[in-house]
PDB file of all heavy atoms in Angstrom:
ATOM      1  N   MET A 237     -98.548  18.428  20.406  1.00  0.00           N
ATOM      2  CA  MET A 237     -98.791  18.444  21.820  1.00  0.00           C
ATOM      3  C   MET A 237     -97.984  17.320  22.454  1.00  0.00           C
ATOM      4  O   MET A 237     -98.001  16.203  21.988  1.00  0.00           O
ATOM      5  CB  MET A 237    -100.291  18.259  22.088  1.00  0.00           C
ATOM      6  CG  MET A 237    -100.612  18.271  23.554  1.00  0.00           C
ATOM      7  SD  MET A 237    -102.368  18.011  23.918  1.00  0.00           S
ATOM      8  CE  MET A 237    -103.118  19.335  23.059  1.00  0.00           C
ATOM      9  N   SER A 238     -97.289  17.621  23.516  1.00  0.00           N
ATOM     10  CA  SER A 238     -96.484  16.601  24.169  1.00  0.00           C
ATOM     11  C   SER A 238     -97.350  15.758  25.096  1.00  0.00           C
ATOM     12  O   SER A 238     -98.438  16.170  25.509  1.00  0.00           O
ATOM     13  CB  SER A 238     -95.368  17.263  24.986  1.00  0.00           C
ATOM     14  OG  SER A 238     -95.923  17.929  26.104  1.00  0.00           O
ATOM     15  N   ASN A 239     -96.873  14.577  25.441  1.00  0.00           N
ATOM     16  CA  ASN A 239     -97.602  13.712  26.357  1.00  0.00           C
ATOM     17  C   ASN A 239     -97.753  14.348  27.726  1.00  0.00           C
ATOM     18  O   ASN A 239     -98.719  14.088  28.422  1.00  0.00           O
ATOM     19  CB  ASN A 239     -96.908  12.359  26.477  1.00  0.00           C
ATOM     20  CG  ASN A 239     -97.101  11.518  25.243  1.00  0.00           C
ATOM     21  OD1 ASN A 239     -98.009  11.747  24.461  1.00  0.00           O
ATOM     22  ND2 ASN A 239     -96.234  10.551  25.047  1.00  0.00           N
ATOM     23  N   THR A 240     -96.800  15.177  28.136  1.00  0.00           N
ATOM     24  CA  THR A 240     -96.904  15.807  29.444  1.00  0.00           C
ATOM     25  C   THR A 240     -98.083  16.772  29.492  1.00  0.00           C
ATOM     26  O   THR A 240     -98.656  16.987  30.552  1.00  0.00           O
ATOM     27  CB  THR A 240     -95.604  16.547  29.821  1.00  0.00           C
ATOM     28  OG1 THR A 240     -95.300  17.490  28.796  1.00  0.00           O
ATOM     29  CG2 THR A 240     -94.454  15.581  29.995  1.00  0.00           C
ATOM     30  N   ALA A 241     -98.466  17.337  28.376  1.00  0.00           N
ATOM     31  CA  ALA A 241     -99.619  18.238  28.343  1.00  0.00           C
ATOM     32  C   ALA A 241    -100.910  17.474  28.619  1.00  0.00           C
ATOM     33  O   ALA A 241    -101.889  18.053  29.066  1.00  0.00           O
ATOM     34  CB  ALA A 241     -99.699  18.949  26.996  1.00  0.00           C
ATOM     35  N   LEU A 242    -100.914  16.176  28.387  1.00  0.00           N
ATOM     36  CA  LEU A 242    -102.103  15.363  28.600  1.00  0.00           C
ATOM     37  C   LEU A 242    -102.127  14.710  29.974  1.00  0.00           C
ATOM     38  O   LEU A 242    -103.107  14.089  30.343  1.00  0.00           O
ATOM     39  CB  LEU A 242    -102.190  14.271  27.529  1.00  0.00           C
ATOM     40  CG  LEU A 242    -102.257  14.760  26.079  1.00  0.00           C
ATOM     41  CD1 LEU A 242    -102.220  13.576  25.130  1.00  0.00           C
ATOM     42  CD2 LEU A 242    -103.493  15.592  25.849  1.00  0.00           C
ATOM     43  N   ALA A 243    -101.055  14.851  30.740  1.00  0.00           N
ATOM     44  CA  ALA A 243    -100.956  14.196  32.035  1.00  0.00           C
ATOM     45  C   ALA A 243    -102.002  14.731  33.001  1.00  0.00           C
ATOM     46  O   ALA A 243    -102.333  15.913  33.008  1.00  0.00           O
ATOM     47  CB  ALA A 243     -99.561  14.402  32.609  1.00  0.00           C
ATOM     48  N   ASP A 244    -102.520  13.851  33.846  1.00  0.00           N
ATOM     49  CA  ASP A 244    -103.488  14.231  34.868  1.00  0.00           C
ATOM     50  C   ASP A 244    -102.795  15.120  35.893  1.00  0.00           C
ATOM     51  O   ASP A 244    -101.785  14.729  36.470  1.00  0.00           O
ATOM     52  CB  ASP A 244    -104.035  12.966  35.537  1.00  0.00           C
ATOM     53  CG  ASP A 244    -105.202  13.251  36.474  1.00  0.00           C
ATOM     54  OD1 ASP A 244    -105.309  14.388  36.987  1.00  0.00           O
ATOM     55  OD2 ASP A 244    -105.995  12.324  36.696  1.00  0.00           O
ATOM     56  N   PRO A 245    -103.305  16.336  36.134  1.00  0.00           N
ATOM     57  CA  PRO A 245    -102.660  17.224  37.098  1.00  0.00           C
ATOM     58  C   PRO A 245    -102.748  16.699  38.526  1.00  0.00           C
ATOM     59  O   PRO A 245    -102.030  17.158  39.402  1.00  0.00           O
ATOM     60  CB  PRO A 245    -103.424  18.542  36.933  1.00  0.00           C
ATOM     61  CG  PRO A 245    -104.741  18.153  36.370  1.00  0.00           C
ATOM     62  CD  PRO A 245    -104.467  16.926  35.531  1.00  0.00           C
ATOM     63  N   ASN A 246    -103.629  15.735  38.783  1.00  0.00           N
ATOM     64  CA  ASN A 246    -103.762  15.139  40.105  1.00  0.00           C
ATOM     65  C   ASN A 246    -103.730  13.623  39.962  1.00  0.00           C
ATOM     66  O   ASN A 246    -104.761  12.961  40.043  1.00  0.00           O
ATOM     67  CB  ASN A 246    -105.078  15.601  40.758  1.00  0.00           C
ATOM     68  CG  ASN A 246    -105.203  15.141  42.194  1.00  0.00           C
ATOM     69  OD1 ASN A 246    -104.336  14.443  42.715  1.00  0.00           O
ATOM     70  ND2 ASN A 246    -106.293  15.521  42.838  1.00  0.00           N
ATOM     71  N   PRO A 247    -102.552  13.039  39.762  1.00  0.00           N
ATOM     72  CA  PRO A 247    -102.459  11.600  39.478  1.00  0.00           C
ATOM     73  C   PRO A 247    -102.919  10.724  40.634  1.00  0.00           C
ATOM     74  O   PRO A 247    -103.198   9.557  40.441  1.00  0.00           O
ATOM     75  CB  PRO A 247    -100.979  11.392  39.168  1.00  0.00           C
ATOM     76  CG  PRO A 247    -100.291  12.544  39.809  1.00  0.00           C
ATOM     77  CD  PRO A 247    -101.258  13.680  39.790  1.00  0.00           C
ATOM     78  N   GLU A 248    -103.044  11.278  41.837  1.00  0.00           N
ATOM     79  CA  GLU A 248    -103.502  10.496  42.983  1.00  0.00           C
ATOM     80  C   GLU A 248    -105.024  10.349  43.009  1.00  0.00           C
ATOM     81  O   GLU A 248    -105.567   9.546  43.740  1.00  0.00           O
ATOM     82  CB  GLU A 248    -103.025  11.153  44.283  1.00  0.00           C
ATOM     83  CG  GLU A 248    -101.508  11.260  44.387  1.00  0.00           C
ATOM     84  CD  GLU A 248    -100.818   9.907  44.302  1.00  0.00           C
ATOM     85  OE1 GLU A 248    -101.297   8.958  44.960  1.00  0.00           O
ATOM     86  OE2 GLU A 248     -99.817   9.795  43.578  1.00  0.00           O
ATOM     87  N   ARG A 249    -105.735  11.152  42.206  1.00  0.00           N
ATOM     88  CA  ARG A 249    -107.195  11.099  42.180  1.00  0.00           C
ATOM     89  C   ARG A 249    -107.627   9.807  41.502  1.00  0.00           C
ATOM     90  O   ARG A 249    -107.221   9.524  40.384  1.00  0.00           O
ATOM     91  CB  ARG A 249    -107.739  12.295  41.391  1.00  0.00           C
ATOM     92  CG  ARG A 249    -109.264  12.337  41.308  1.00  0.00           C
ATOM     93  CD  ARG A 249    -109.725  13.543  40.495  1.00  0.00           C
ATOM     94  NE  ARG A 249    -109.217  13.534  39.138  1.00  0.00           N
ATOM     95  CZ  ARG A 249    -109.851  12.971  38.106  1.00  0.00           C
ATOM     96  NH1 ARG A 249    -111.005  12.386  38.277  1.00  0.00           N
ATOM     97  NH2 ARG A 249    -109.330  13.010  36.907  1.00  0.00           N
ATOM     98  N   PRO A 250    -108.469   9.013  42.157  1.00  0.00           N
ATOM     99  CA  PRO A 250    -108.920   7.772  41.508  1.00  0.00           C
ATOM    100  C   PRO A 250    -109.837   8.065  40.329  1.00  0.00           C
ATOM    101  O   PRO A 250    -110.582   9.050  40.326  1.00  0.00           O
ATOM    102  CB  PRO A 250    -109.688   7.049  42.619  1.00  0.00           C
ATOM    103  CG  PRO A 250    -110.105   8.127  43.566  1.00  0.00           C
ATOM    104  CD  PRO A 250    -109.049   9.208  43.471  1.00  0.00           C
ATOM    105  N   THR A 251    -109.769   7.236  39.304  1.00  0.00           N
ATOM    106  CA  THR A 251    -110.663   7.346  38.164  1.00  0.00           C
ATOM    107  C   THR A 251    -111.925   6.557  38.485  1.00  0.00           C
ATOM    108  O   THR A 251    -111.849   5.392  38.866  1.00  0.00           O
ATOM    109  CB  THR A 251    -110.003   6.780  36.893  1.00  0.00           C
ATOM    110  OG1 THR A 251    -108.806   7.503  36.663  1.00  0.00           O
ATOM    111  CG2 THR A 251    -110.910   6.914  35.694  1.00  0.00           C
ATOM    112  N   LEU A 252    -113.046   7.188  38.367  1.00  0.00           N
ATOM    113  CA  LEU A 252    -114.310   6.545  38.682  1.00  0.00           C
ATOM    114  C   LEU A 252    -114.950   5.979  37.426  1.00  0.00           C
ATOM    115  O   LEU A 252    -114.771   6.520  36.340  1.00  0.00           O
ATOM    116  CB  LEU A 252    -115.259   7.558  39.330  1.00  0.00           C
ATOM    117  CG  LEU A 252    -114.742   8.256  40.586  1.00  0.00           C
ATOM    118  CD1 LEU A 252    -115.734   9.306  41.046  1.00  0.00           C
ATOM    119  CD2 LEU A 252    -114.470   7.253  41.685  1.00  0.00           C
ATOM    120  N   ALA A 253    -115.702   4.911  37.595  1.00  0.00           N
ATOM    121  CA  ALA A 253    -116.382   4.297  36.450  1.00  0.00           C
ATOM    122  C   ALA A 253    -117.359   5.278  35.803  1.00  0.00           C
ATOM    123  O   ALA A 253    -117.661   5.160  34.629  1.00  0.00           O
ATOM    124  CB  ALA A 253    -117.105   3.034  36.888  1.00  0.00           C
ATOM    125  N   SER A 254    -117.824   6.261  36.560  1.00  0.00           N
ATOM    126  CA  SER A 254    -118.785   7.209  36.011  1.00  0.00           C
ATOM    127  C   SER A 254    -118.119   8.401  35.315  1.00  0.00           C
ATOM    128  O   SER A 254    -118.801   9.245  34.774  1.00  0.00           O
ATOM    129  CB  SER A 254    -119.708   7.729  37.117  1.00  0.00           C
ATOM    130  OG  SER A 254    -118.941   8.411  38.094  1.00  0.00           O
ATOM    131  N   ASP A 255    -116.771   8.485  35.352  1.00  0.00           N
ATOM    132  CA  ASP A 255    -116.082   9.560  34.633  1.00  0.00           C
ATOM    133  C   ASP A 255    -116.352   9.402  33.140  1.00  0.00           C
ATOM    134  O   ASP A 255    -116.227   8.317  32.594  1.00  0.00           O
ATOM    135  CB  ASP A 255    -114.564   9.512  34.860  1.00  0.00           C
ATOM    136  CG  ASP A 255    -114.163  10.012  36.226  1.00  0.00           C
ATOM    137  OD1 ASP A 255    -115.037  10.499  36.956  1.00  0.00           O
ATOM    138  OD2 ASP A 255    -112.976   9.912  36.550  1.00  0.00           O
ATOM    139  N   GLN A 256    -116.753  10.482  32.495  1.00  0.00           N
ATOM    140  CA  GLN A 256    -117.018  10.423  31.062  1.00  0.00           C
ATOM    141  C   GLN A 256    -116.951  11.814  30.453  1.00  0.00           C
ATOM    142  O   GLN A 256    -116.969  12.800  31.175  1.00  0.00           O
ATOM    143  CB  GLN A 256    -118.389   9.802  30.781  1.00  0.00           C
ATOM    144  CG  GLN A 256    -119.555  10.556  31.404  1.00  0.00           C
ATOM    145  CD  GLN A 256    -120.877   9.881  31.117  1.00  0.00           C
ATOM    146  OE1 GLN A 256    -121.156   9.540  29.969  1.00  0.00           O
ATOM    147  NE2 GLN A 256    -121.675   9.665  32.137  1.00  0.00           N
ATOM    148  N   ALA A 257    -116.836  11.842  29.154  1.00  0.00           N
ATOM    149  CA  ALA A 257    -116.810  13.110  28.429  1.00  0.00           C
ATOM    150  C   ALA A 257    -117.590  12.929  27.135  1.00  0.00           C
ATOM    151  O   ALA A 257    -117.620  11.846  26.558  1.00  0.00           O
ATOM    152  CB  ALA A 257    -115.381  13.518  28.113  1.00  0.00           C
ATOM    153  N   THR A 258    -118.216  13.992  26.687  1.00  0.00           N
ATOM    154  CA  THR A 258    -118.916  13.995  25.412  1.00  0.00           C
ATOM    155  C   THR A 258    -118.353  15.125  24.575  1.00  0.00           C
ATOM    156  O   THR A 258    -118.189  16.238  25.063  1.00  0.00           O
ATOM    157  CB  THR A 258    -120.426  14.211  25.621  1.00  0.00           C
ATOM    158  OG1 THR A 258    -120.929  13.174  26.460  1.00  0.00           O
ATOM    159  CG2 THR A 258    -121.165  14.214  24.294  1.00  0.00           C
ATOM    160  N   VAL A 259    -118.024  14.823  23.322  1.00  0.00           N
ATOM    161  CA  VAL A 259    -117.452  15.810  22.425  1.00  0.00           C
ATOM    162  C   VAL A 259    -118.247  15.805  21.126  1.00  0.00           C
ATOM    163  O   VAL A 259    -118.563  14.741  20.601  1.00  0.00           O
ATOM    164  CB  VAL A 259    -115.965  15.496  22.124  1.00  0.00           C
ATOM    165  CG1 VAL A 259    -115.391  16.485  21.139  1.00  0.00           C
ATOM    166  CG2 VAL A 259    -115.162  15.462  23.415  1.00  0.00           C
ATOM    167  N   THR A 260    -118.558  16.982  20.619  1.00  0.00           N
ATOM    168  CA  THR A 260    -119.229  17.112  19.330  1.00  0.00           C
ATOM    169  C   THR A 260    -118.348  17.959  18.424  1.00  0.00           C
ATOM    170  O   THR A 260    -117.869  19.016  18.838  1.00  0.00           O
ATOM    171  CB  THR A 260    -120.598  17.796  19.494  1.00  0.00           C
ATOM    172  OG1 THR A 260    -121.387  17.018  20.388  1.00  0.00           O
ATOM    173  CG2 THR A 260    -121.306  17.929  18.155  1.00  0.00           C
ATOM    174  N   ILE A 261    -118.113  17.466  17.222  1.00  0.00           N
ATOM    175  CA  ILE A 261    -117.280  18.179  16.258  1.00  0.00           C
ATOM    176  C   ILE A 261    -118.081  18.345  14.975  1.00  0.00           C
ATOM    177  O   ILE A 261    -118.673  17.387  14.476  1.00  0.00           O
ATOM    178  CB  ILE A 261    -115.976  17.403  15.962  1.00  0.00           C
ATOM    179  CG1 ILE A 261    -115.166  17.250  17.227  1.00  0.00           C
ATOM    180  CG2 ILE A 261    -115.171  18.102  14.878  1.00  0.00           C
ATOM    181  CD1 ILE A 261    -113.971  16.344  17.094  1.00  0.00           C
ATOM    182  N   THR A 262    -118.099  19.562  14.448  1.00  0.00           N
ATOM    183  CA  THR A 262    -118.759  19.821  13.177  1.00  0.00           C
ATOM    184  C   THR A 262    -117.687  20.036  12.116  1.00  0.00           C
ATOM    185  O   THR A 262    -116.779  20.842  12.304  1.00  0.00           O
ATOM    186  CB  THR A 262    -119.648  21.078  13.267  1.00  0.00           C
ATOM    187  OG1 THR A 262    -120.602  20.868  14.314  1.00  0.00           O
ATOM    188  CG2 THR A 262    -120.353  21.345  11.962  1.00  0.00           C
ATOM    189  N   VAL A 263    -117.789  19.271  11.034  1.00  0.00           N
ATOM    190  CA  VAL A 263    -116.844  19.381   9.933  1.00  0.00           C
ATOM    191  C   VAL A 263    -117.644  19.719   8.680  1.00  0.00           C
ATOM    192  O   VAL A 263    -118.499  18.945   8.268  1.00  0.00           O
ATOM    193  CB  VAL A 263    -116.063  18.059   9.718  1.00  0.00           C
ATOM    194  CG1 VAL A 263    -115.068  18.195   8.592  1.00  0.00           C
ATOM    195  CG2 VAL A 263    -115.373  17.631  11.005  1.00  0.00           C
ATOM    196  N   ALA A 264    -117.382  20.883   8.095  1.00  0.00           N
ATOM    197  CA  ALA A 264    -118.148  21.350   6.941  1.00  0.00           C
ATOM    198  C   ALA A 264    -117.558  20.791   5.644  1.00  0.00           C
ATOM    199  O   ALA A 264    -116.937  21.508   4.866  1.00  0.00           O
ATOM    200  CB  ALA A 264    -118.177  22.871   6.913  1.00  0.00           C
ATOM    201  N   VAL A 265    -117.745  19.492   5.444  1.00  0.00           N
ATOM    202  CA  VAL A 265    -117.285  18.824   4.221  1.00  0.00           C
ATOM    203  C   VAL A 265    -118.358  17.824   3.800  1.00  0.00           C
ATOM    204  O   VAL A 265    -119.268  17.509   4.561  1.00  0.00           O
ATOM    205  CB  VAL A 265    -115.929  18.092   4.423  1.00  0.00           C
ATOM    206  CG1 VAL A 265    -114.826  19.065   4.761  1.00  0.00           C
ATOM    207  CG2 VAL A 265    -116.036  17.023   5.476  1.00  0.00           C
ATOM    208  N   GLU A 266    -118.219  17.316   2.597  1.00  0.00           N
ATOM    209  CA  GLU A 266    -119.129  16.287   2.107  1.00  0.00           C
ATOM    210  C   GLU A 266    -119.007  15.038   2.990  1.00  0.00           C
ATOM    211  O   GLU A 266    -117.937  14.767   3.527  1.00  0.00           O
ATOM    212  CB  GLU A 266    -118.789  15.933   0.659  1.00  0.00           C
ATOM    213  CG  GLU A 266    -119.033  17.067  -0.326  1.00  0.00           C
ATOM    214  CD  GLU A 266    -120.500  17.412  -0.447  1.00  0.00           C
ATOM    215  OE1 GLU A 266    -121.349  16.501  -0.448  1.00  0.00           O
ATOM    216  OE2 GLU A 266    -120.809  18.617  -0.518  1.00  0.00           O
ATOM    217  N   PRO A 267    -120.090  14.266   3.152  1.00  0.00           N
ATOM    218  CA  PRO A 267    -120.056  13.078   4.005  1.00  0.00           C
ATOM    219  C   PRO A 267    -118.913  12.117   3.678  1.00  0.00           C
ATOM    220  O   PRO A 267    -118.268  11.587   4.584  1.00  0.00           O
ATOM    221  CB  PRO A 267    -121.419  12.424   3.758  1.00  0.00           C
ATOM    222  CG  PRO A 267    -122.310  13.573   3.418  1.00  0.00           C
ATOM    223  CD  PRO A 267    -121.429  14.514   2.625  1.00  0.00           C
ATOM    224  N   LYS A 268    -118.632  11.895   2.400  1.00  0.00           N
ATOM    225  CA  LYS A 268    -117.556  10.977   2.011  1.00  0.00           C
ATOM    226  C   LYS A 268    -116.210  11.466   2.545  1.00  0.00           C
ATOM    227  O   LYS A 268    -115.403  10.686   3.055  1.00  0.00           O
ATOM    228  CB  LYS A 268    -117.510  10.845   0.485  1.00  0.00           C
ATOM    229  CG  LYS A 268    -116.499   9.850  -0.013  1.00  0.00           C
ATOM    230  CD  LYS A 268    -116.584   9.711  -1.533  1.00  0.00           C
ATOM    231  CE  LYS A 268    -115.550   8.735  -2.047  1.00  0.00           C
ATOM    232  NZ  LYS A 268    -115.623   8.562  -3.493  1.00  0.00           N
ATOM    233  N   GLU A 269    -115.956  12.770   2.458  1.00  0.00           N
ATOM    234  CA  GLU A 269    -114.714  13.350   2.961  1.00  0.00           C
ATOM    235  C   GLU A 269    -114.677  13.299   4.488  1.00  0.00           C
ATOM    236  O   GLU A 269    -113.638  13.039   5.088  1.00  0.00           O
ATOM    237  CB  GLU A 269    -114.551  14.795   2.471  1.00  0.00           C
ATOM    238  CG  GLU A 269    -113.301  15.485   2.945  1.00  0.00           C
ATOM    239  CD  GLU A 269    -112.002  14.927   2.366  1.00  0.00           C
ATOM    240  OE1 GLU A 269    -112.032  13.974   1.573  1.00  0.00           O
ATOM    241  OE2 GLU A 269    -110.942  15.459   2.735  1.00  0.00           O
ATOM    242  N   ALA A 270    -115.812  13.517   5.137  1.00  0.00           N
ATOM    243  CA  ALA A 270    -115.868  13.451   6.600  1.00  0.00           C
ATOM    244  C   ALA A 270    -115.504  12.048   7.090  1.00  0.00           C
ATOM    245  O   ALA A 270    -114.755  11.897   8.053  1.00  0.00           O
ATOM    246  CB  ALA A 270    -117.249  13.849   7.091  1.00  0.00           C
ATOM    247  N   VAL A 271    -116.011  11.029   6.435  1.00  0.00           N
ATOM    248  CA  VAL A 271    -115.679   9.645   6.808  1.00  0.00           C
ATOM    249  C   VAL A 271    -114.188   9.404   6.616  1.00  0.00           C
ATOM    250  O   VAL A 271    -113.525   8.815   7.472  1.00  0.00           O
ATOM    251  CB  VAL A 271    -116.516   8.625   6.003  1.00  0.00           C
ATOM    252  CG1 VAL A 271    -115.999   7.217   6.202  1.00  0.00           C
ATOM    253  CG2 VAL A 271    -117.976   8.733   6.396  1.00  0.00           C
ATOM    254  N   ARG A 272    -113.631   9.873   5.512  1.00  0.00           N
ATOM    255  CA  ARG A 272    -112.198   9.700   5.264  1.00  0.00           C
ATOM    256  C   ARG A 272    -111.383  10.395   6.352  1.00  0.00           C
ATOM    257  O   ARG A 272    -110.456   9.817   6.913  1.00  0.00           O
ATOM    258  CB  ARG A 272    -111.800  10.254   3.889  1.00  0.00           C
ATOM    259  CG  ARG A 272    -110.345   9.944   3.532  1.00  0.00           C
ATOM    260  CD  ARG A 272    -109.846  10.748   2.342  1.00  0.00           C
ATOM    261  NE  ARG A 272    -109.718  12.165   2.634  1.00  0.00           N
ATOM    262  CZ  ARG A 272    -108.732  12.714   3.372  1.00  0.00           C
ATOM    263  NH1 ARG A 272    -107.806  11.959   3.915  1.00  0.00           N
ATOM    264  NH2 ARG A 272    -108.689  14.011   3.580  1.00  0.00           N
ATOM    265  N   LEU A 273    -111.742  11.637   6.667  1.00  0.00           N
ATOM    266  CA  LEU A 273    -111.014  12.370   7.706  1.00  0.00           C
ATOM    267  C   LEU A 273    -111.077  11.641   9.038  1.00  0.00           C
ATOM    268  O   LEU A 273    -110.083  11.516   9.750  1.00  0.00           O
ATOM    269  CB  LEU A 273    -111.587  13.780   7.857  1.00  0.00           C
ATOM    270  CG  LEU A 273    -111.301  14.742   6.716  1.00  0.00           C
ATOM    271  CD1 LEU A 273    -112.135  16.007   6.877  1.00  0.00           C
ATOM    272  CD2 LEU A 273    -109.832  15.080   6.651  1.00  0.00           C
ATOM    273  N   PHE A 274    -112.261  11.155   9.381  1.00  0.00           N
ATOM    274  CA  PHE A 274    -112.434  10.481  10.664  1.00  0.00           C
ATOM    275  C   PHE A 274    -111.641   9.182  10.722  1.00  0.00           C
ATOM    276  O   PHE A 274    -110.953   8.907  11.694  1.00  0.00           O
ATOM    277  CB  PHE A 274    -113.917  10.203  10.908  1.00  0.00           C
ATOM    278  CG  PHE A 274    -114.173   9.555  12.236  1.00  0.00           C
ATOM    279  CD1 PHE A 274    -114.163  10.300  13.398  1.00  0.00           C
ATOM    280  CD2 PHE A 274    -114.408   8.196  12.322  1.00  0.00           C
ATOM    281  CE1 PHE A 274    -114.383   9.702  14.628  1.00  0.00           C
ATOM    282  CE2 PHE A 274    -114.633   7.588  13.537  1.00  0.00           C
ATOM    283  CZ  PHE A 274    -114.624   8.347  14.690  1.00  0.00           C
ATOM    284  N   THR A 275    -111.698   8.392   9.668  1.00  0.00           N
ATOM    285  CA  THR A 275    -111.056   7.077   9.710  1.00  0.00           C
ATOM    286  C   THR A 275    -109.552   7.127   9.451  1.00  0.00           C
ATOM    287  O   THR A 275    -108.803   6.354  10.034  1.00  0.00           O
ATOM    288  CB  THR A 275    -111.716   6.113   8.713  1.00  0.00           C
ATOM    289  OG1 THR A 275    -111.647   6.680   7.400  1.00  0.00           O
ATOM    290  CG2 THR A 275    -113.160   5.848   9.075  1.00  0.00           C
ATOM    291  N   GLU A 276    -109.099   8.025   8.603  1.00  0.00           N
ATOM    292  CA  GLU A 276    -107.672   8.057   8.248  1.00  0.00           C
ATOM    293  C   GLU A 276    -106.850   9.001   9.117  1.00  0.00           C
ATOM    294  O   GLU A 276    -105.655   8.794   9.283  1.00  0.00           O
ATOM    295  CB  GLU A 276    -107.504   8.469   6.778  1.00  0.00           C
ATOM    296  CG  GLU A 276    -108.061   7.440   5.803  1.00  0.00           C
ATOM    297  CD  GLU A 276    -107.912   7.875   4.358  1.00  0.00           C
ATOM    298  OE1 GLU A 276    -107.205   8.861   4.086  1.00  0.00           O
ATOM    299  OE2 GLU A 276    -108.523   7.231   3.501  1.00  0.00           O
ATOM    300  N   GLU A 277    -107.469  10.034   9.668  1.00  0.00           N
ATOM    301  CA  GLU A 277    -106.694  11.053  10.369  1.00  0.00           C
ATOM    302  C   GLU A 277    -107.013  11.156  11.857  1.00  0.00           C
ATOM    303  O   GLU A 277    -106.507  12.053  12.529  1.00  0.00           O
ATOM    304  CB  GLU A 277    -106.906  12.406   9.686  1.00  0.00           C
ATOM    305  CG  GLU A 277    -106.437  12.395   8.243  1.00  0.00           C
ATOM    306  CD  GLU A 277    -106.546  13.742   7.570  1.00  0.00           C
ATOM    307  OE1 GLU A 277    -106.673  14.758   8.272  1.00  0.00           O
ATOM    308  OE2 GLU A 277    -106.485  13.786   6.324  1.00  0.00           O
ATOM    309  N   ILE A 278    -107.797  10.241  12.406  1.00  0.00           N
ATOM    310  CA  ILE A 278    -108.192  10.348  13.809  1.00  0.00           C
ATOM    311  C   ILE A 278    -106.990  10.314  14.756  1.00  0.00           C
ATOM    312  O   ILE A 278    -107.008  10.954  15.803  1.00  0.00           O
ATOM    313  CB  ILE A 278    -109.231   9.264  14.176  1.00  0.00           C
ATOM    314  CG1 ILE A 278    -109.881   9.609  15.497  1.00  0.00           C
ATOM    315  CG2 ILE A 278    -108.590   7.885  14.189  1.00  0.00           C
ATOM    316  CD1 ILE A 278    -111.139   8.830  15.784  1.00  0.00           C
ATOM    317  N   GLU A 279    -105.932   9.618  14.383  1.00  0.00           N
ATOM    318  CA  GLU A 279    -104.739   9.563  15.248  1.00  0.00           C
ATOM    319  C   GLU A 279    -104.047  10.922  15.370  1.00  0.00           C
ATOM    320  O   GLU A 279    -103.286  11.138  16.289  1.00  0.00           O
ATOM    321  CB  GLU A 279    -103.764   8.522  14.699  1.00  0.00           C
ATOM    322  CG  GLU A 279    -104.379   7.152  14.551  1.00  0.00           C
ATOM    323  CD  GLU A 279    -103.897   6.187  15.598  1.00  0.00           C
ATOM    324  OE1 GLU A 279    -102.874   6.455  16.214  1.00  0.00           O
ATOM    325  OE2 GLU A 279    -104.570   5.167  15.781  1.00  0.00           O
ATOM    326  N   SER A 280    -104.340  11.848  14.476  1.00  0.00           N
ATOM    327  CA  SER A 280    -103.733  13.179  14.521  1.00  0.00           C
ATOM    328  C   SER A 280    -104.474  14.115  15.455  1.00  0.00           C
ATOM    329  O   SER A 280    -103.983  15.189  15.763  1.00  0.00           O
ATOM    330  CB  SER A 280    -103.730  13.793  13.122  1.00  0.00           C
ATOM    331  OG  SER A 280    -102.992  12.996  12.238  1.00  0.00           O
ATOM    332  N   TRP A 281    -105.667  13.748  15.890  1.00  0.00           N
ATOM    333  CA  TRP A 281    -106.475  14.641  16.699  1.00  0.00           C
ATOM    334  C   TRP A 281    -105.914  14.766  18.078  1.00  0.00           C
ATOM    335  O   TRP A 281    -105.473  14.050  18.778  1.00  0.00           O
ATOM    336  CB  TRP A 281    -107.914  14.196  16.769  1.00  0.00           C
ATOM    337  CG  TRP A 281    -108.596  14.182  15.433  1.00  0.00           C
ATOM    338  CD1 TRP A 281    -108.052  14.445  14.219  1.00  0.00           C
ATOM    339  CD2 TRP A 281    -109.954  13.870  15.173  1.00  0.00           C
ATOM    340  NE1 TRP A 281    -108.980  14.323  13.231  1.00  0.00           N
ATOM    341  CE2 TRP A 281    -110.161  13.969  13.789  1.00  0.00           C
ATOM    342  CE3 TRP A 281    -111.004  13.510  15.971  1.00  0.00           C
ATOM    343  CZ2 TRP A 281    -111.390  13.729  13.201  1.00  0.00           C
ATOM    344  CZ3 TRP A 281    -112.223  13.273  15.381  1.00  0.00           C
ATOM    345  CH2 TRP A 281    -112.424  13.376  14.011  1.00  0.00           C
TER     346      TRP A 281
END
C-alpha cells in the first residue's frame, strides 16, 4: 500500500482530541505464535 492511499482525503479538517478508532483482530494460532506475529511483524500491517 502506498503512502498516498493513507492520506487524509480532507487535509483541511482539523484532528480532534476525541478522534479515535478501535480495531479487533482474531488470529487463529497458538498464543506464543500470536505474540511473535504481533511483536515481530506489526510493521507489516
Side-chain angles (χ1 to χ4, degrees):
M237 180 182 301
S238 70
N239 287 340
T240 56
L242 301 175
D244 188 335
N246 186 358
E248 300 301 316
R249 180 181 60 90
T251 301
L252 304 175
S254 62
D255 285 354
Q256 60 181 311
T258 301
V259 177
T260 301
I261 299 172
T262 302
V263 181
V265 297
E266 294 294 321
K268 184 176 179 179
E269 180 68 0
V271 170
R272 187 193 69 75
L273 289 170
F274 182 78
T275 57
E276 294 179 11
E277 299 184 17
I278 195 165
E279 304 254 342
S280 300
W281 298 4

